[in-house]
Amino acid sequence: MSRNLATSLQRRRRANPMQTYDALPGPLRAWVAQAALPWSPASCLRIWRRARAQGDSPEAILARLDRAEALTLSRDRFRHRP
C-alpha cells in the first residue's frame, strides 16, 4: 500500500498492540485473552487505570468489564435464540 507522501502533516505514531497487551496487569491480560469481543488492550488499560484511581479492586474492575461485554453482546442483533 502506498502512502500519500505529498503532505506536511506529521504521521501519528501508534503503539505496538502486542507490547501494550504484554504490559497489561496479569488479571486484565487474562480477561482480555478470554473475552468474547476483540477488546483493544489500550482501551482496557484506560478502563483499568481509571477504575484503580477510583479505588476499585481488580475483581470489581473485571466484573465491570464482564457487564460491559454482556451488555454489548445482548445488543447483537445476530445472536442465536434458543
Side-chain angles (χ1 to χ4, degrees), residues 46-62 64:
R46 270 193 308 273
I47 293 167
W48 180 271
R49 287 181 175 161
R50 188 177 318 125
R52 290 297 285 164
Q54 294 172 354
D56 288 352
S57 70
E59 294 79 16
I61 299 167
L62 297 177
R64 180 188 299 189

Side-chain angles (χ1 to χ4, degrees), residues 1-81:
M1 176 183 347
S2 63
R3 288 183 244 147
N4 184 356
L5 300 177
T7 181
S8 62
L9 300 175
Q10 287 185 330
R11 290 179 50 196
R12 287 180 25 183
R13 295 216 183 261
R14 296 208 169 119
N16 180 338
M18 286 308 294
Q19 284 181 334
T20 305
Y21 174 80
D22 290 341
L24 293 176
L28 182 57
R29 190 174 5 168
W31 185 89
V32 171
Q34 62 80 36
L37 297 172
W39 289 79
S40 153
S43 66
C44 287
L45 187 58
R46 270 193 308 273
I47 293 167
W48 180 271
R49 287 181 175 161
R50 188 177 318 125
R52 290 297 285 164
Q54 294 172 354
D56 288 352
S57 70
E59 294 79 16
I61 299 167
L62 297 177
R64 180 188 299 189
L65 288 167
D66 283 337
R67 288 190 304 272
E69 186 170 57
L71 179 64
T72 302
L73 289 171
S74 73
R75 292 189 310 230
D76 183 4
R77 66 186 183 121
F78 294 114
R79 70 175 186 260
H80 296 284
R81 296 179 194 257

